[in-house]
Amino acid sequence: SLAVVATNAATYQWQRQSGSAWTNLSNGSGVAGATSATLQLTGITSALDNTVYRVQVNGACGAPLFSNASTLRVVTPIVTNIGSVAGCTGDTVSIPVSVDQLNGVAAISMAITYDSTQLQCLGMVSDVHPSINTSGFLSNCGIFPGLGRQFRVAWFDLNPVNLSGLLFRVKFRITGTPSSSPSTTLGWDLATAGNCEYADELADVIPNTTWTNGTVSLASGCYGPPQSYLCLPTISTLPPPSIGADSVVIGGNITNDG
């Protein structure tokens, strides 16, 4: 809401700037109090970002007065997401990392945590977003003092870019088993300053970011040995020989019982 304090005011009229002109607002379609001291806007979307408002105040006599202009800023959270995938023990899976509505970024820092008893970081990335697929893009798996194993990404460029959608995919191998855990979490190291953040060309941290975790789970049908072991021979119990039989087959050899 926007409000004005005026003395001896008879009427109010809120206005929105449209180019070089000002348009009177009317109640309805997300606007209330268009002719009162307080203007209320609801259902605000990013389309209203940077719109400018003022109020015209009329007294019982004299020329109308206009308030100072106020600019509405609509802040949309920047959501960075680790995707969730499924696989079998021994499988290599590609984990997608994506972002929504990240504008004017010149530097990226990411640190993904994982359970090394369930996953092995292979350190390979693919499908890197073209805007950051430059010499300034670095990634690695490592063990960091006090933090454990992490997969990290860093990127920097003097020319800021706008990003939305898939940033890259990173490969992990599933080493856990259903008996140890049916799923494991890939998370963000938000507790360590500087590990998960974006910055602009002036090295100022970009605010209003949200970081969501992902999971790796064992797919349906994985509740057994890894697929590579399914070709091993198995031994079946043979039915007992009938009484009075002359011979019984055991392992392919003929043995007389008498």
Side-chain angles (χ1 to χ4, degrees):
S1 63
L2 300 172
V4 66
V5 177
T7 303
N8 297 324
T11 62
Y12 302 88
Q13 176 61 63
W14 286 92
Q15 300 175 329
R16 178 185 294 149
Q17 191 173 33
S18 178
S20 58
W22 291 89
T23 301
N24 290 342
L25 295 178
S26 301
N27 292 331
S29 300
V31 177
T35 56
S36 71
T38 300
L39 174 68
Q40 295 180 334
L41 303 175
T42 57
I44 295 174
T45 66
S46 58
L48 291 178
D49 188 34
N50 280 319
T51 50
V52 182
Y53 300 84
R54 73 178 185 183
V55 63
Q56 174 182 320
V57 180
N58 297 288
C61 58
L65 300 176
F66 294 92
S67 69
N68 294 330
S70 296
T71 302
L72 175 66
R73 297 303 313 270
V74 180
V75 178
T76 303
I78 300 166
V79 180
T80 307
N81 178 67
I82 302 174
S84 295
V85 300
C88 296
T89 301
D91 282 354
T92 296
V93 292
S94 293
I95 312 297
V97 176
S98 59
V99 69
D100 186 36
Q101 300 187 42
L102 174 59
N103 297 323
V105 61
I108 295 174
S109 177
M110 293 180 174
I112 296 176
T113 62
Y114 62 96
D115 184 349
S116 60
T117 67
Q118 303 293 319
L119 297 172
Q120 177 189 2
C121 181
L122 302 180
M124 296 181 289
V125 295
S126 62
D127 300 326
V128 180
H129 193 289
S131 295
I132 60 175
N133 192 12
T134 64
S135 59
F137 183 89
L138 302 172
S139 65
N140 74 300
C141 305
I143 303 175
F144 301 90
L147 301 174
R149 294 183 181 271
Q150 295 184 348
F151 170 73
R152 292 188 175 184
V153 166
W155 173 81
F156 173 76
D157 198 291
L158 293 175
N159 300 307
V161 298
N162 299 332
L163 299 171
S164 192
L166 180 67
L167 292 179
F168 58 85
R169 301 180 192 272
V170 55
K171 295 185 183 298
F172 284 84
R173 179 173 290 118
I174 301 175
T175 57
T177 61
S179 59
S180 61
S181 177
S183 65
T184 185
T185 299
L186 290 160
W188 298 104
D189 180 14
L190 302 178
T192 306
N195 267 8
C196 294
E197 65 182 23
Y198 302 111
D200 60 22
E201 71 274 18
L202 300 178
D204 292 327
V205 174
I206 297 175
N208 303 304
T209 56
T210 300
W211 306 76
T212 59
N213 298 338
T215 59
V216 175
S217 56
L218 291 176
S220 176
C222 291
Y223 295 91
Q227 296 295 316
S228 58
Y229 299 143
L230 295 181
C231 60
L232 295 177
T234 58
I235 298 175
S236 299
T237 302
L238 297 174
S242 60
I243 297 176
D246 293 331
S247 64
V248 59
V249 179
I250 301 177
N253 298 318
I254 302 298
T255 303
N256 291 327
D257 65 348

